[in-house]
């Protein structure tokens, strides 16, 4: 195993390749500024779609591009509540009829918790 290692080389150390004959991709510097006034530049490819926002490396706030690129407005759907979903299935008059029917059953003792439907005449006798 010792025969396969290079003397003086370390893990994660330097590359033994040189940069002759390598053509780097065209790059551009894109500037950003956050709400706290921090300005910084990010190196990107010329072919890359430049985002309108970037996270500030100092404070973590959202930074806007200084080149005037505006973020796209997000189309947000309104939140659907339980009431909205119920109205998709039933009309108001149907809901009123169901409520009336259920209230009659509850008041008659046919549905609901048992402790609400104890006979009125029975009371526990006190120990003498």
């Amino acid at each position: 195993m010792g025969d396969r290692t290079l003397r003086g080389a370390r893990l994660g150390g330097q590359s033994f390749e040189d940069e002759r004959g390598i053509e780097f991709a065209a790059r551009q510097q894109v500037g950003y500024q956050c709400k706290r006034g921090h300005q910084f530049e990010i190196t990107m490819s010329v072919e890359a779609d430049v985002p309108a926002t970037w996270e500030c490396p100092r404070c973590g706030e959202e930074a806007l591009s200084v080149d005037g690129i505006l973020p796209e407005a997000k189309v947000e759907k309104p939140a659907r509540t339980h009431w909205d979903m119920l109205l998709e299935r039933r009309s108001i008059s149907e809901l009123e009829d169901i409520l009336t029917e259920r209230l009659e059953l509850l008041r008659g003792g046919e549905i609901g918790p048992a402790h609400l439907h104890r006979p009125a005449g029975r009371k526990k006798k006190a120990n003498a």
Side-chain angles (χ1 to χ4, degrees), residues 10-52:
R10 54 191 160 177
L11 264 175
Q14 309 126 313
S15 170
F16 294 110
E17 296 180 22
D18 59 5
E19 296 180 2
R20 284 181 279 153
I22 297 175
E23 195 173 315
F24 292 107
R27 295 182 250 176
Q28 64 178 337
Q29 293 293 112
V30 181
Y32 290 94
Q33 182 175 1
C34 75
K35 295 175 185 175
R36 294 185 180 177
H38 302 136
Q39 292 186 350
F40 58 95
E41 290 187 340
I42 303 293
T43 304
M44 295 185 187
S45 169
V46 173
E47 298 172 0
D49 291 332
V50 177

Side-chain angles (χ1 to χ4, degrees), residues 83-99:
W83 180 248
D84 295 331
M85 291 184 261
L86 185 62
L87 288 178
E88 290 174 5
R89 297 188 308 266
R90 309 258 188 200
S91 68
I92 297 289
S93 62
E94 285 177 310
L95 291 172
E96 288 174 348
D97 293 341
I98 292 171
L99 177 63

